[in-house]
Amino acid sequence: DVKVTQSSRYLVKRTGEKVFLECVQDMDHENMFWYRQDPGLGLRLIYFSYDVKMKEKGDIPEGYSVSREKKERFSLILESASTNQTSMYLCASRLGTSSSYEQYFGPGTRLTVT
Amino acid sequence: LAKTTQPISMDSYEGQEVNITCSHNNIATNDYITWYQQFPSQGPRFIIQGYKTKVTNEVASLFIPADRKSSTLSLPRVSLSDTAVYYCLVGEKNSGAGSYQLTFGKGTKLSVIP
């Protein structure tokens, strides 16, 4: 089974702090994604990466950056956390050569910025 | 990106068949239709994917009419454990990046009643 893990299930940070959210997948997938999920808004794509060192902006990239130095790891960075970034963050991966749209999701990180 | 519209919520009794319809009027020729399921405090899970006519797996069936402007997810004989949010997505290939970007809407919250 594909396993996608995220560094923390719950995280509390202060406004202005730099925050790193880590995601690791163990199935050699080329594509990785970061979403945030908020009540009433569903899942929204922040950034995705189709291969190592590659990144593409999603629908809401403002206030975020990403890093993909190794194939199995995709990091989401909040340079200066703000209260409106309090949310559930979900990481996903996908086999790049597959014709399927199936993405495998991690358990999520619930981030609270105070 | 093709936009999808689906009901916000649905209720059903245990043992009944549930049909959730999604409209995607501006679906492109190469787009596939994908459905995900999400339980509380978990990441979404892939259910089924299709291009046209009917697709069936061990979990659900997906019906897509000839014009492909809508699709219907059918869950046979639902149980309490099927209570979840169901997302309809139209996948789009990012030709420049060679990756598949999915846009999640707000989903349909299905409540199964004993």
Side-chain angles (χ1 to χ4, degrees), chain B residues 59-78:
Chain B
V59 176
S61 294
L62 179 60
F63 298 92
I64 305 168
D67 66 6
R68 304 200 329 120
K69 293 184 183 299
S70 66
S71 59
T72 299
L73 176 73
S74 181
L75 304 172
R77 298 179 298 281
V78 294

Side-chain angles (χ1 to χ4, degrees), chain B residues 57 63 65 71 81 94:
Chain B
N57 62 22
F63 298 92
S71 59
S81 64
N94 183 326

Side-chain angles (χ1 to χ4, degrees), chain A residues 9 31 33 35 37 40-43 45 48 50 56 58-59 90 94 96 98-103 105-107, chain B residues 1 30-32 34 36 38 41-44 46 49 87 91-94 97 99-106:
Chain A
R9 288 302 304 269
N31 305 158
F33 308 81
Y35 297 86
Q37 185 169 30
L41 296 177
L43 278 84
L45 181 64
F48 66 100
Y50 54 91
E56 293 269 342
D59 299 320
L90 290 155
R94 177 186 166 272
S98 171
S99 60
S100 168
Y101 287 84
E102 182 171 4
Q103 294 183 13
F105 282 81
Chain B
L1 293 174
N30 294 329
D31 287 343
Y32 275 71
T34 310
Y36 279 76
Q38 186 179 24
S41 301
Q42 294 185 24
F46 174 87
Q49 172 183 307
Y87 294 94
E92 176 176 337
K93 182 172 182 179
N94 183 326
S99 178
Y100 291 84
Q101 181 175 346
L102 294 176
T103 298
F104 283 79
K106 298 179 183 179

Side-chain angles (χ1 to χ4, degrees), chain A residues 10 19 22 25 31-32 34 38 43 47 66 83 87 111:
Chain A
Y10 300 93
V19 181
E22 305 285 341
Q25 50 93 5
N31 305 158
M32 296 188 74
W34 274 108
D38 301 287
L43 278 84
Y47 267 97
V66 291
T83 55
S87 185
L111 172 67

Side-chain angles (χ1 to χ4, degrees), chain B:
Chain B
L1 293 174
K3 182 180 177 181
T4 60
T5 303
Q6 52 185 122
I8 294 173
S9 63
M10 293 181 70
D11 293 335
S12 176
Y13 288 100
E14 270 192 298
Q16 289 188 331
E17 178 184 75
V18 171
N19 295 308
I20 306 174
T21 297
C22 177
S23 66
H24 26 79
N25 291 320
N26 58 341
I27 188 169
T29 304
N30 294 329
D31 287 343
Y32 275 71
I33 298 149
T34 310
W35 285 81
Y36 279 76
Q37 174 192 56
Q38 186 179 24
F39 298 112
S41 301
Q42 294 185 24
R45 183 177 72 102
F46 174 87
I47 300 176
I48 198 166
Q49 172 183 307
Y51 184 80
K52 61 181 179 181
T53 62
K54 178 183 175 182
V55 179
T56 297
N57 62 22
E58 64 277 6
V59 176
S61 294
L62 179 60
F63 298 92
I64 305 168
D67 66 6
R68 304 200 329 120
K69 293 184 183 299
S70 66
S71 59
T72 299
L73 176 73
S74 181
L75 304 172
R77 298 179 298 281
V78 294
S79 64
L80 295 177
S81 64
D82 293 316
T83 293
V85 177
Y86 293 82
Y87 294 94
C88 163
L89 300 93
V90 173
E92 176 176 337
K93 182 172 182 179
N94 183 326
S95 58
S99 178
Y100 291 84
Q101 181 175 346
L102 294 176
T103 298
F104 283 79
K106 298 179 183 179
T108 297
K109 185 174 183 180
L110 173 65
S111 299
V112 180
I113 306 163

